[in-house]
Amino acid sequence: MRDDLYRIKQELADRLKTANDLPGWEALEAEYFSRTAGKFTNLIKKLKQLPEEERKIMGRLGNEVKDEMLSALSARRSFLEGARFARLAETEAIDVTAPFLPPLPMGHLHPTTHVQSDLEDLFTSMGFTILDGPELESEYYNFESVNIPADHPARDMQDTFYIKGHPHWVMRTHTSPVQVRALERYGVPIRAIVPGRCFRNEATDPRHEHTLYQLEGLVVDRQITFSHLKGILETVARYLYGEATQVRLRPKFYPFVEPGVNGEVTCFLCAGAGCRVCKETGWLEIFGAGMVHPNVLTAGGVDPREYQGFAFGLGLSRLVMLKYKIEDVRHLQTGDLRFLSQF
Ligand code: PHE
């Protein structure tokens, strides 16, 4: 019996070496340990025929041998499973010495995004918060809340897209509605900019597009004056076009400011002498601005007798055109790679 046990153990050990896959391993396990006809099982059944003394000894030996055989089996199984993963790793391995393929073309930021982030950097450095607002806006916020009543002719200046079946929703025509949203939500004092996409129902041409970007600014606090507005706008102009840049403000009507101005900067190309870019005027119009109208403050829940502020709207798309000398605003929306890959 002792010899039989050692022999069977050795036999399994030898045969395991040639079990090279899991089905082979499973067959071996069954051959030795199947409950009904396993070689080891059968051998152990013979224990019963031995005299009592020997049976005890052989029983103990049998258990030891069984443990050894089982652990040999499981060691082989782990090895086979590991080998499977190793093979996988082999086929998937990266040969770092292989010649490399030309790199795939990488995308990059849109010129509008570049100008927007530059301005965000400038404004955050002056303590402004960056805010967002919905592009699909209610008629109330887009018009009424910024002091453009339904029957006001100023509505004609900003025709937009209406949503079928939703008469009171519009694609926002400017970022100004976020002035009121911001006042309602954050109260005063406030210092914020709102870069974002706006829409106009326009016959498009090189200077007009149905989709454009603006950057709104809003500062409301006690004792804010027009000189603060001028200071900020001059800072922006110099940041964009250099220290020598001058700002010219001229009265202009916007329903949501009083007084209102339109802002121009000296042409960065001819420095005021007159050229093609500035249409021989020496000035480039880049924003609208003014002191926030009391009605707008009131709409935002702020008492205009206590607080005042200024607001401005930079034509972001316009700045992009000027910065990169883009002659047609419509290029910005095309997604045409011949245009985009130049930046
Ligand atoms: N919202 C105005 C426009 O779209 C620009 C503007 C903003 C003017 C803030 C004054 C103050 O034309």
Side-chain angles (χ1 to χ4, degrees), residues 146-316:
V146 290
N147 204 29
I148 314 177
D151 53 1
H152 198 284
R155 285 230 177 160
D156 298 342
M157 286 161 53
Q158 300 193 357
D159 190 17
T160 184
F161 302 102
Y162 291 81
I163 310 301
K164 229 184 212 165
H166 297 274
H168 300 298
W169 291 92
V170 300
M171 297 308 286
R172 69 172 176 197
T173 56
H174 51 177
T175 39
S176 301
V178 189
Q179 287 185 29
V180 177
R181 286 181 174 277
L183 289 174
E184 283 178 344
R185 179 139 179 198
Y186 301 106
V188 282
I190 191 167
R191 225 186 291 181
I193 56 162
V194 187
R197 192 153 57 156
C198 308
F199 309 84
R200 303 263 171 110
N201 186 5
E202 303 255 22
T204 65
D205 66 31
R207 291 166 68 98
H208 298 92
E209 175 61 302
H210 52 71
T211 302
L212 58 140
Y213 285 77
Q214 294 192 338
L215 189 141
E216 191 85 7
L218 174 69
V219 173
V220 180
D221 204 339
R222 294 176 203 274
Q223 291 163 3
I224 293 289
T225 71
F226 201 90
S227 12
H228 294 123
L229 168 61
K230 197 157 180 260
I232 292 283
L233 293 173
E234 281 173 354
T235 306
V236 173
R238 296 194 179 125
Y239 178 75
L240 288 172
Y241 301 121
E243 279 304 311
T245 312
Q246 288 181 27
V247 174
R248 175 167 81 172
L249 302 176
R250 295 194 295 176
K252 177 161 181 187
F253 173 72
Y254 294 101
F256 31 90
V257 285
E258 180 60 38
V261 292
N262 114 32
E264 293 162 314
V265 294
T266 39
C267 176
F268 60 87
L269 194 64
C270 63
C275 68
R276 193 179 55 85
V277 172
C278 57
K279 302 228 153 58
E280 307 299 332
T281 63
W283 296 93
L284 298 167
E285 183 181 342
I286 58 169
F287 54 83
M291 300 306 288
V292 182
H293 195 285
N295 290 354
V296 176
L297 292 172
T298 308
V302 174
D303 184 350
R305 284 164 304 185
E306 245 188 279
Y307 288 91
Q308 48 286 138
F310 62 81
F312 55 86
L314 286 169
L316 203 53

